[in-house]
mmCIF file of all heavy atoms in Angstrom:
data_model
loop_
_atom_site.group_PDB
_atom_site.id
_atom_site.type_symbol
_atom_site.label_atom_id
_atom_site.label_comp_id
_atom_site.label_asym_id
_atom_site.label_seq_id
_atom_site.Cartn_x
_atom_site.Cartn_y
_atom_site.Cartn_z
ATOM 1 N N ALA A 29 -29.576 2.031 3.761
ATOM 2 C CA ALA A 29 -29.199 0.604 3.806
ATOM 3 C C ALA A 29 -30.171 -0.243 4.715
ATOM 4 O O ALA A 29 -30.632 -1.277 4.336
ATOM 5 C CB ALA A 29 -27.794 0.358 4.400
ATOM 6 N N LYS A 30 -30.654 0.479 5.760
ATOM 7 C CA LYS A 30 -31.594 -0.182 6.646
ATOM 8 C C LYS A 30 -32.948 -0.296 5.913
ATOM 9 O O LYS A 30 -33.590 -1.374 6.039
ATOM 10 C CB LYS A 30 -31.854 0.548 7.935
ATOM 11 C CG LYS A 30 -30.738 0.506 8.873
ATOM 12 C CD LYS A 30 -30.930 1.285 10.137
ATOM 13 C CE LYS A 30 -29.835 1.203 11.173
ATOM 14 N NZ LYS A 30 -30.005 2.041 12.317
ATOM 15 N N SER A 31 -33.301 0.645 5.121
ATOM 16 C CA SER A 31 -34.544 0.637 4.320
ATOM 17 C C SER A 31 -34.601 -0.444 3.338
ATOM 18 O O SER A 31 -35.620 -1.008 2.970
ATOM 19 C CB SER A 31 -34.798 1.972 3.583
ATOM 20 O OG SER A 31 -34.935 3.006 4.496
ATOM 21 N N CYS A 32 -33.420 -0.837 2.806
ATOM 22 C CA CYS A 32 -33.313 -1.924 1.863
ATOM 23 C C CYS A 32 -32.977 -3.288 2.420
ATOM 24 O O CYS A 32 -32.742 -4.227 1.721
ATOM 25 C CB CYS A 32 -32.221 -1.535 0.909
ATOM 26 S SG CYS A 32 -32.627 -0.248 -0.291
ATOM 27 N N GLY A 33 -32.905 -3.253 3.762
ATOM 28 C CA GLY A 33 -32.622 -4.578 4.448
ATOM 29 C C GLY A 33 -31.180 -4.998 4.242
ATOM 30 O O GLY A 33 -30.849 -6.145 4.316
ATOM 31 N N CYS A 34 -30.201 -3.987 4.090
ATOM 32 C CA CYS A 34 -28.844 -4.321 3.769
ATOM 33 C C CYS A 34 -27.912 -3.992 4.978
ATOM 34 O O CYS A 34 -26.744 -4.306 4.849
ATOM 35 C CB CYS A 34 -28.384 -3.612 2.510
ATOM 36 S SG CYS A 34 -29.251 -4.139 1.040
ATOM 37 N N HIS A 35 -28.453 -3.247 5.980
ATOM 38 C CA HIS A 35 -27.530 -2.838 7.043
ATOM 39 C C HIS A 35 -26.877 -3.952 7.690
ATOM 40 O O HIS A 35 -25.660 -3.937 7.950
ATOM 41 C CB HIS A 35 -28.401 -1.987 8.065
ATOM 42 C CG HIS A 35 -27.668 -1.570 9.180
ATOM 43 N ND1 HIS A 35 -26.652 -0.539 9.123
ATOM 44 C CD2 HIS A 35 -27.698 -2.010 10.513
ATOM 45 C CE1 HIS A 35 -26.188 -0.370 10.350
ATOM 46 N NE2 HIS A 35 -26.814 -1.230 11.141
ATOM 47 N N GLU A 36 -27.605 -5.011 8.000
ATOM 48 C CA GLU A 36 -26.942 -6.177 8.742
ATOM 49 C C GLU A 36 -25.860 -6.813 7.917
ATOM 50 O O GLU A 36 -24.792 -7.105 8.464
ATOM 51 C CB GLU A 36 -28.016 -7.190 9.083
ATOM 52 C CG GLU A 36 -29.020 -6.719 10.092
ATOM 53 C CD GLU A 36 -30.062 -5.819 9.607
ATOM 54 O OE1 GLU A 36 -30.336 -5.775 8.376
ATOM 55 O OE2 GLU A 36 -30.634 -5.045 10.436
ATOM 56 N N PHE A 37 -26.062 -6.991 6.660
ATOM 57 C CA PHE A 37 -25.009 -7.650 5.841
ATOM 58 C C PHE A 37 -23.813 -6.760 5.709
ATOM 59 O O PHE A 37 -22.639 -7.207 5.828
ATOM 60 C CB PHE A 37 -25.550 -8.113 4.495
ATOM 61 C CG PHE A 37 -24.989 -7.443 3.295
ATOM 62 C CD1 PHE A 37 -23.695 -7.709 2.830
ATOM 63 C CD2 PHE A 37 -25.700 -6.442 2.603
ATOM 64 C CE1 PHE A 37 -23.143 -7.071 1.752
ATOM 65 C CE2 PHE A 37 -25.110 -5.809 1.501
ATOM 66 C CZ PHE A 37 -23.850 -6.163 1.069
ATOM 67 N N ILE A 38 -24.007 -5.443 5.644
ATOM 68 C CA ILE A 38 -22.895 -4.560 5.508
ATOM 69 C C ILE A 38 -22.097 -4.560 6.882
ATOM 70 O O ILE A 38 -20.903 -4.559 6.874
ATOM 71 C CB ILE A 38 -23.362 -3.148 5.159
ATOM 72 C CG1 ILE A 38 -23.905 -3.064 3.727
ATOM 73 C CG2 ILE A 38 -22.277 -2.091 5.319
ATOM 74 C CD1 ILE A 38 -24.595 -1.759 3.326
ATOM 75 N N GLU A 39 -22.799 -4.537 7.924
ATOM 76 C CA GLU A 39 -22.219 -4.497 9.272
ATOM 77 C C GLU A 39 -21.369 -5.824 9.460
ATOM 78 O O GLU A 39 -20.405 -5.775 10.204
ATOM 79 C CB GLU A 39 -23.198 -4.367 10.387
ATOM 80 C CG GLU A 39 -23.742 -3.048 10.573
ATOM 81 C CD GLU A 39 -22.677 -2.082 11.226
ATOM 82 O OE1 GLU A 39 -22.409 -2.293 12.321
ATOM 83 O OE2 GLU A 39 -22.273 -1.144 10.579
ATOM 84 N N SER A 40 -21.745 -6.883 8.786
ATOM 85 C CA SER A 40 -21.079 -8.187 8.978
ATOM 86 C C SER A 40 -19.778 -8.278 8.167
ATOM 87 O O SER A 40 -19.005 -9.233 8.371
ATOM 88 C CB SER A 40 -22.033 -9.339 8.607
ATOM 89 O OG SER A 40 -22.196 -9.423 7.187
ATOM 90 N N LEU A 41 -19.622 -7.272 7.218
ATOM 91 C CA LEU A 41 -18.372 -7.320 6.481
ATOM 92 C C LEU A 41 -17.131 -6.968 7.380
ATOM 93 O O LEU A 41 -17.379 -6.372 8.457
ATOM 94 C CB LEU A 41 -18.434 -6.226 5.364
ATOM 95 C CG LEU A 41 -19.468 -6.447 4.293
ATOM 96 C CD1 LEU A 41 -19.578 -5.265 3.336
ATOM 97 C CD2 LEU A 41 -19.168 -7.728 3.477
ATOM 98 N N GLU A 42 -16.001 -7.291 7.000
ATOM 99 C CA GLU A 42 -14.776 -7.183 7.747
ATOM 100 C C GLU A 42 -14.712 -5.868 8.529
ATOM 101 O O GLU A 42 -14.438 -5.808 9.700
ATOM 102 C CB GLU A 42 -13.530 -7.423 6.918
ATOM 103 C CG GLU A 42 -12.229 -7.302 7.649
ATOM 104 C CD GLU A 42 -11.106 -7.513 6.715
ATOM 105 O OE1 GLU A 42 -11.191 -7.876 5.574
ATOM 106 O OE2 GLU A 42 -9.991 -7.230 7.206
ATOM 107 N N ASN A 43 -14.936 -4.692 7.851
ATOM 108 C CA ASN A 43 -14.877 -3.478 8.486
ATOM 109 C C ASN A 43 -16.155 -2.642 8.305
ATOM 110 O O ASN A 43 -16.208 -1.410 8.208
ATOM 111 C CB ASN A 43 -13.794 -2.573 7.829
ATOM 112 C CG ASN A 43 -12.385 -3.138 8.114
ATOM 113 O OD1 ASN A 43 -12.057 -3.429 9.290
ATOM 114 N ND2 ASN A 43 -11.592 -3.447 7.091
ATOM 115 N N GLY A 44 -17.263 -3.355 8.191
ATOM 116 C CA GLY A 44 -18.561 -2.720 8.008
ATOM 117 C C GLY A 44 -18.664 -1.816 6.929
ATOM 118 O O GLY A 44 -18.200 -2.082 5.820
ATOM 119 N N TYR A 45 -19.184 -0.628 7.147
ATOM 120 C CA TYR A 45 -19.302 0.404 6.026
ATOM 121 C C TYR A 45 -18.009 0.894 5.595
ATOM 122 O O TYR A 45 -17.840 1.523 4.542
ATOM 123 C CB TYR A 45 -20.079 1.600 6.623
ATOM 124 C CG TYR A 45 -21.649 1.283 6.606
ATOM 125 C CD1 TYR A 45 -22.187 0.621 7.768
ATOM 126 C CD2 TYR A 45 -22.456 1.507 5.569
ATOM 127 C CE1 TYR A 45 -23.552 0.474 7.768
ATOM 128 C CE2 TYR A 45 -23.781 1.237 5.630
ATOM 129 C CZ TYR A 45 -24.410 0.636 6.780
ATOM 130 O OH TYR A 45 -25.685 0.341 6.740
ATOM 131 N N ASN A 46 -16.852 0.674 6.347
ATOM 132 C CA ASN A 46 -15.512 1.118 5.984
ATOM 133 C C ASN A 46 -14.737 0.057 5.203
ATOM 134 O O ASN A 46 -13.569 0.174 4.986
ATOM 135 C CB ASN A 46 -14.726 1.552 7.227
ATOM 136 C CG ASN A 46 -15.307 2.790 7.816
ATOM 137 O OD1 ASN A 46 -15.695 3.765 7.069
ATOM 138 N ND2 ASN A 46 -15.530 2.806 9.119
ATOM 139 N N THR A 47 -15.436 -1.090 4.905
ATOM 140 C CA THR A 47 -14.790 -2.120 4.104
ATOM 141 C C THR A 47 -14.523 -1.529 2.677
ATOM 142 O O THR A 47 -15.472 -1.064 2.001
ATOM 143 C CB THR A 47 -15.695 -3.385 4.021
ATOM 144 O OG1 THR A 47 -16.014 -3.834 5.372
ATOM 145 C CG2 THR A 47 -15.103 -4.456 3.166
ATOM 146 N N VAL A 48 -13.294 -1.808 2.220
ATOM 147 C CA VAL A 48 -13.018 -1.363 0.873
ATOM 148 C C VAL A 48 -13.375 -2.491 -0.096
ATOM 149 O O VAL A 48 -13.129 -3.647 0.162
ATOM 150 C CB VAL A 48 -11.457 -1.136 0.727
ATOM 151 C CG1 VAL A 48 -11.136 -0.814 -0.753
ATOM 152 C CG2 VAL A 48 -11.049 0.068 1.602
ATOM 153 N N THR A 49 -14.220 -2.102 -1.123
ATOM 154 C CA THR A 49 -14.806 -3.060 -2.015
ATOM 155 C C THR A 49 -13.838 -3.713 -2.953
ATOM 156 O O THR A 49 -14.147 -4.836 -3.529
ATOM 157 C CB THR A 49 -16.038 -2.506 -2.773
ATOM 158 O OG1 THR A 49 -15.489 -1.479 -3.626
ATOM 159 C CG2 THR A 49 -17.029 -1.967 -1.831
ATOM 160 N N GLY A 50 -12.711 -3.024 -3.244
ATOM 161 C CA GLY A 50 -11.744 -3.555 -4.251
ATOM 162 C C GLY A 50 -12.125 -3.084 -5.618
ATOM 163 O O GLY A 50 -13.146 -2.461 -5.856
ATOM 164 N N ASP A 51 -11.227 -3.358 -6.660
ATOM 165 C CA ASP A 51 -11.492 -2.935 -8.001
ATOM 166 C C ASP A 51 -12.731 -3.546 -8.509
ATOM 167 O O ASP A 51 -12.952 -4.770 -8.383
ATOM 168 C CB ASP A 51 -10.341 -3.317 -8.852
ATOM 169 C CG ASP A 51 -9.095 -2.520 -8.679
ATOM 170 O OD1 ASP A 51 -9.215 -1.375 -8.262
ATOM 171 O OD2 ASP A 51 -7.957 -3.008 -8.809
ATOM 172 N N SER A 52 -13.628 -2.761 -9.033
ATOM 173 C CA SER A 52 -14.920 -3.210 -9.506
ATOM 174 C C SER A 52 -15.778 -3.993 -8.419
ATOM 175 O O SER A 52 -16.617 -4.782 -8.800
ATOM 176 C CB SER A 52 -14.740 -4.046 -10.740
ATOM 177 O OG SER A 52 -14.136 -3.308 -11.691
ATOM 178 N N GLY A 53 -15.503 -3.759 -7.166
ATOM 179 C CA GLY A 53 -16.184 -4.473 -6.067
ATOM 180 C C GLY A 53 -15.785 -5.920 -6.009
ATOM 181 O O GLY A 53 -16.448 -6.721 -5.328
ATOM 182 N N GLY A 54 -14.481 -6.275 -6.411
ATOM 183 C CA GLY A 54 -13.994 -7.585 -6.486
ATOM 184 C C GLY A 54 -13.887 -8.291 -5.158
ATOM 185 O O GLY A 54 -13.824 -9.516 -5.081
ATOM 186 N N HIS A 55 -13.940 -7.583 -4.003
ATOM 187 C CA HIS A 55 -13.861 -8.189 -2.684
ATOM 188 C C HIS A 55 -15.179 -8.623 -2.222
ATOM 189 O O HIS A 55 -15.318 -9.246 -1.148
ATOM 190 C CB HIS A 55 -13.251 -7.245 -1.663
ATOM 191 C CG HIS A 55 -11.781 -6.919 -1.988
ATOM 192 N ND1 HIS A 55 -11.165 -5.777 -1.527
ATOM 193 C CD2 HIS A 55 -10.755 -7.607 -2.654
ATOM 194 C CE1 HIS A 55 -9.991 -5.720 -1.967
ATOM 195 N NE2 HIS A 55 -9.732 -6.811 -2.636
ATOM 196 N N LEU A 56 -16.219 -8.417 -2.961
ATOM 197 C CA LEU A 56 -17.545 -8.725 -2.565
ATOM 198 C C LEU A 56 -18.220 -9.779 -3.566
ATOM 199 O O LEU A 56 -17.739 -9.823 -4.696
ATOM 200 C CB LEU A 56 -18.491 -7.488 -2.536
ATOM 201 C CG LEU A 56 -18.036 -6.444 -1.615
ATOM 202 C CD1 LEU A 56 -18.946 -5.152 -1.711
ATOM 203 C CD2 LEU A 56 -17.980 -6.866 -0.135
ATOM 204 N N SER A 57 -19.197 -10.428 -3.119
ATOM 205 C CA SER A 57 -19.869 -11.360 -4.035
ATOM 206 C C SER A 57 -20.780 -10.594 -4.978
ATOM 207 O O SER A 57 -21.033 -9.431 -4.689
ATOM 208 C CB SER A 57 -20.749 -12.383 -3.220
ATOM 209 O OG SER A 57 -21.892 -11.733 -2.688
ATOM 210 N N GLY A 58 -21.271 -11.271 -6.005
ATOM 211 C CA GLY A 58 -22.172 -10.596 -7.053
ATOM 212 C C GLY A 58 -23.390 -10.081 -6.290
ATOM 213 O O GLY A 58 -23.858 -8.962 -6.620
ATOM 214 N N GLY A 59 -23.961 -10.900 -5.470
ATOM 215 C CA GLY A 59 -25.155 -10.522 -4.700
ATOM 216 C C GLY A 59 -24.921 -9.321 -3.829
ATOM 217 O O GLY A 59 -25.788 -8.482 -3.662
ATOM 218 N N GLU A 60 -23.758 -9.319 -3.107
ATOM 219 C CA GLU A 60 -23.431 -8.136 -2.264
ATOM 220 C C GLU A 60 -23.228 -6.864 -3.059
ATOM 221 O O GLU A 60 -23.759 -5.818 -2.660
ATOM 222 C CB GLU A 60 -22.148 -8.415 -1.437
ATOM 223 C CG GLU A 60 -22.354 -9.544 -0.377
ATOM 224 C CD GLU A 60 -21.074 -10.029 0.213
ATOM 225 O OE1 GLU A 60 -20.001 -9.949 -0.439
ATOM 226 O OE2 GLU A 60 -21.123 -10.536 1.294
ATOM 227 N N ARG A 61 -22.596 -7.010 -4.205
ATOM 228 C CA ARG A 61 -22.363 -5.755 -5.101
ATOM 229 C C ARG A 61 -23.820 -5.303 -5.561
ATOM 230 O O ARG A 61 -24.080 -4.049 -5.523
ATOM 231 C CB ARG A 61 -21.554 -6.111 -6.309
ATOM 232 C CG ARG A 61 -20.100 -6.304 -5.925
ATOM 233 C CD ARG A 61 -19.222 -6.312 -7.242
ATOM 234 N NE ARG A 61 -19.591 -7.353 -8.173
ATOM 235 C CZ ARG A 61 -19.070 -8.594 -8.112
ATOM 236 N NH1 ARG A 61 -18.206 -8.995 -7.188
ATOM 237 N NH2 ARG A 61 -19.487 -9.534 -8.976
ATOM 238 N N GLN A 62 -24.642 -6.206 -5.962
ATOM 239 C CA GLN A 62 -26.046 -5.841 -6.370
ATOM 240 C C GLN A 62 -26.784 -5.058 -5.272
ATOM 241 O O GLN A 62 -27.332 -4.102 -5.577
ATOM 242 C CB GLN A 62 -26.764 -7.122 -6.718
ATOM 243 C CG GLN A 62 -28.015 -6.912 -7.401
ATOM 244 C CD GLN A 62 -27.872 -6.302 -8.841
ATOM 245 O OE1 GLN A 62 -26.838 -6.485 -9.458
ATOM 246 N NE2 GLN A 62 -28.782 -5.619 -9.301
ATOM 247 N N ARG A 63 -26.712 -5.622 -4.054
ATOM 248 C CA ARG A 63 -27.418 -4.998 -2.881
ATOM 249 C C ARG A 63 -26.846 -3.626 -2.588
ATOM 250 O O ARG A 63 -27.681 -2.728 -2.358
ATOM 251 C CB ARG A 63 -27.304 -5.924 -1.683
ATOM 252 C CG ARG A 63 -28.078 -7.228 -1.904
ATOM 253 C CD ARG A 63 -28.004 -8.211 -0.920
ATOM 254 N NE ARG A 63 -28.723 -7.761 0.340
ATOM 255 C CZ ARG A 63 -28.643 -8.282 1.568
ATOM 256 N NH1 ARG A 63 -27.872 -9.339 1.751
ATOM 257 N NH2 ARG A 63 -29.339 -7.869 2.526
ATOM 258 N N ILE A 64 -25.594 -3.454 -2.741
ATOM 259 C CA ILE A 64 -25.037 -2.088 -2.472
ATOM 260 C C ILE A 64 -25.484 -1.158 -3.627
ATOM 261 O O ILE A 64 -25.822 0.024 -3.402
ATOM 262 C CB ILE A 64 -23.441 -2.146 -2.419
ATOM 263 C CG1 ILE A 64 -23.082 -2.815 -1.140
ATOM 264 C CG2 ILE A 64 -22.861 -0.753 -2.497
ATOM 265 C CD1 ILE A 64 -21.598 -3.159 -0.921
ATOM 266 N N SER A 65 -25.624 -1.628 -4.874
ATOM 267 C CA SER A 65 -26.076 -0.776 -5.958
ATOM 268 C C SER A 65 -27.544 -0.379 -5.707
ATOM 269 O O SER A 65 -27.920 0.765 -6.058
ATOM 270 C CB SER A 65 -26.028 -1.481 -7.268
ATOM 271 O OG SER A 65 -24.652 -1.719 -7.559
ATOM 272 N N ILE A 66 -28.322 -1.287 -5.127
ATOM 273 C CA ILE A 66 -29.724 -0.900 -4.889
ATOM 274 C C ILE A 66 -29.755 0.126 -3.766
ATOM 275 O O ILE A 66 -30.589 1.031 -3.869
ATOM 276 C CB ILE A 66 -30.525 -2.227 -4.480
ATOM 277 C CG1 ILE A 66 -30.582 -3.145 -5.695
ATOM 278 C CG2 ILE A 66 -31.867 -1.877 -3.879
ATOM 279 C CD1 ILE A 66 -31.119 -4.518 -5.433
#
């Protein structure tokens, strides 16, 4: 995540890396889902 520049955004989520994304990642924006896929 750090290598992709995503660590900070993940840490800013409600529970950081322990945030549950929801069905099909529905709790996250499209850009956030894309970054997690990367």
